[in-house]
Amino acid sequence: MPLDIGKVQEQLRTDGLDGWLLYDFHGQNAIAAKLAGLAGRHTTRRWFYFIPADGAPRKLVHAIEPGVLDELPGEAETYAGREELASRLRALLAGAPVVAMEYSPDNAVPYVSRVDAGTVEFIRGLGVRVVSSGDLVGRFEAAWNNEAIASHRAASEKLYRVKDRTFELLEARLGAREPLHEFEVQQTMAEWMQSEGLVTDALPIVAVDEHTANPHYSPTRDQSGRIGSGSLVLLDLWGKLDRPGAVYADITWMGYSGDAPAEIHTAFALVVAGRDAAVRLVQSRVEEGRPVRGWEVDRAARQVIADGGYGAAFIHRTGHSLGEGVHGNGVHMDDFETHDDRRLLEGTGFTIEPGIYTPAFGVRTEINVVVGARTVEVTGPRQHELVRIGVRT
């Protein structure tokens, strides 16, 4: 979808910014390349696209690649040597003392920090203050339109069907006392996802017992745990529709074959409580029209788990942005690995997935959330208790 220059300029004025300077070199800034319509195209020279808060956009491109930004509105200037680049860039930014770029102070949000430090220094040397474009990226690159939201809901429904079929498979095979291993379940789930018309960047996670303690565990043909009576099982699956512009859904559910020990029940109840505290925070802020930021959502979930005595066992952020990639460029629910101070704007899609990981086991619950103008949608059922997988004795 082409960048709506008018809406960008309206937002720049609202945010008190003089402009947004998009810049890329050799594809290092994938955000700028996507916004400029250059995703997947090979460019060899630095280009700049400046959207001022008022007036027409302006381009600065190399003489070897003068047409690289032709599909975008605005007049183009060319440069060749470095001295000419500096003088033309100074003229491009004249009258704009404060501009946004894909930069994050102290690299607090590395997902936004796509412009190298040297280029930021170069722009500052021209007398321009550089601030983060994080909220602009969230609004104009990461936010979902109605079509994307519909694709997410459809993908979510398909993932839940695969999840249900998988627990039915476990129930049948364990009930019949037939041997079953993680790898076989993973491969079967992948086939079902394909039959549902989903595509994904990696196979689903199927983890049993001590393997659940590794958040990114994935079985292989040669390393595949046996699922039997008294097994803790984690299923993490993600996918999207196979069409342009579709966005991901990503869920995690857990079960136990038989009666789970009290410690596992306690830990799982804590991650559920943390998840729901995070949802309540987002819902209340959005309904009240008050801003909510990624770090606050993480802190809401993390506090519940810390109060329950498992704070040190929650070793990753609470959730991540969803997009055309399973990890999008929008807001992450994070005050642990990073400090994501971006706002959850209308059209933001993300996961909430707190977890507890001990040496013996791990538990996690994962849901997907979409922010509307004054509403918050959880796109699918929330798990409240471990799925009890019946086993004959």
Side-chain angles (χ1 to χ4, degrees):
M1 177 181 296
L3 195 59
D4 189 323
I5 300 299
K7 288 185 177 179
V8 171
Q9 292 181 313
E10 180 181 348
Q11 193 60 48
L12 289 169
R13 292 191 291 270
T14 298
D15 293 345
L17 300 174
D18 298 304
W20 187 1
L21 181 61
L22 297 174
Y23 157 80
D24 186 40
F25 176 65
H26 274 234
Q28 293 174 355
N29 187 351
I31 294 173
K34 182 179 179 182
L35 288 168
L38 298 176
R41 287 177 54 183
H42 179 62
T43 58
T44 66
R45 299 298 192 275
R46 288 175 283 186
W47 59 260
F48 298 83
Y49 187 66
F50 183 57
I51 306 172
D54 294 289
R58 302 189 290 275
K59 314 171 192 177
L60 182 59
V61 293
H62 197 277
I64 289 177
E65 297 175 331
V68 69
L69 299 179
D70 277 356
E71 295 180 9
L72 296 174
E75 295 293 325
E77 291 273 354
T78 61
Y79 73 93
R82 65 180 185 276
E83 294 181 358
E84 190 176 21
L85 169 62
S87 64
R88 293 282 169 89
L89 192 55
R90 187 186 302 276
L92 185 81
L93 298 175
V98 182
V99 302
M101 297 186 75
E102 283 67 71
Y103 150 80
S104 175
D106 298 325
N107 199 27
V109 187
Y111 315 97
V112 173
S113 287
R114 306 299 183 96
V115 178
D116 64 279
T119 296
V120 172
E121 292 171 353
F122 182 31
I123 301 300
R124 287 173 174 165
L126 300 175
V128 176
R129 183 161 72 93
V130 178
V131 299
S132 177
S133 64
D135 282 346
L136 292 169
V137 171
R139 190 179 299 276
F140 295 105
E141 196 276 343
W144 297 350
N145 58 24
N146 289 337
E147 185 178 354
I149 293 172
S151 80
H152 166 77
R153 291 194 187 111
S156 178
E157 291 174 3
K158 293 173 183 292
L159 288 179
Y160 276 98
R161 279 200 294 271
V162 172
K163 179 267 297 182
D164 290 340
R165 291 181 70 181
T166 304
F167 280 118
E168 290 168 3
L169 170 67
L170 294 173
E171 178 89 15
R173 292 284 291 273
L174 294 179
R177 297 181 181 177
E178 297 177 0
L180 191 62
H181 290 79
E182 295 166 332
F183 183 74
E184 178 187 353
V185 177
Q186 179 197 61
Q187 297 301 305
T188 301
M189 290 175 69
E191 291 173 4
W192 286 340
M193 289 173 63
Q194 186 176 21
S195 69
E196 288 277 4
L198 295 173
V199 295
T200 182
D201 65 347
L203 292 172
I205 293 173
V206 179
V208 62
D209 298 331
E210 70 275 9
H211 293 161
T212 61
N214 177 356
H216 281 175
Y217 171 81
S218 184
T220 65
R221 189 178 300 276
D222 298 325
Q223 179 181 315
S224 180
R226 182 180 182 277
I227 305 170
S229 177
S231 287
L232 177 66
V233 181
L234 180 149
L235 306 177
D236 187 350
L237 54 162
W238 55 96
K240 65 177 181 177
L241 303 184
D242 189 9
R243 69 186 191 205
V247 295
Y248 270 86
D250 184 2
I251 63 173
T252 300
W253 276 58
M254 299 200 68
Y256 197 91
S257 54
D259 297 318
E263 183 182 10
I264 292 178
H265 277 299
T266 297
F268 191 73
L270 269 177
V271 297
V272 166
R275 177 199 69 196
D276 291 347
V279 172
R280 286 194 300 273
L281 174 67
V282 178
Q283 288 175 330
S284 63
R285 291 283 188 87
V286 172
E287 289 169 1
E288 295 166 5
R290 298 167 56 205
V292 57
R293 302 177 187 275
W295 69 266
E296 295 177 290
V297 183
D298 179 76
R299 188 171 292 183
R302 195 169 300 278
Q303 189 62 55
V304 171
I305 293 171
D307 289 347
Y310 282 94
F314 185 6
I315 58 174
H316 57 67
R317 63 193 176 192
T318 290
H320 61 82
S321 168
L322 291 166
E324 293 183 38
V326 68
H327 295 92
N329 289 322
V331 185
H332 300 289
M333 310 307 110
D334 194 358
D335 192 35
F336 180 66
E337 299 178 55
T338 69
H339 179 72
D340 201 321
D341 60 357
R342 293 175 290 174
R343 294 174 291 168
L344 274 63
L345 303 167
E346 182 180 353
T348 301
F350 59 95
T351 71
I352 293 179
E353 50 175 314
I356 290 172
Y357 307 92
T358 76
F361 70 88
V363 290
R364 182 167 70 249
T365 174
E366 181 177 17
I367 60 172
N368 300 163
V369 179
V370 180
V371 176
R374 282 296 180 91
T375 59
V376 173
E377 177 186 5
V378 176
T379 56
R382 301 188 218 180
Q383 184 175 11
H384 294 284
E385 296 180 348
L386 295 169
V387 174
R388 190 182 189 280
I389 306 166
V391 178
R392 294 178 184 174
T393 58

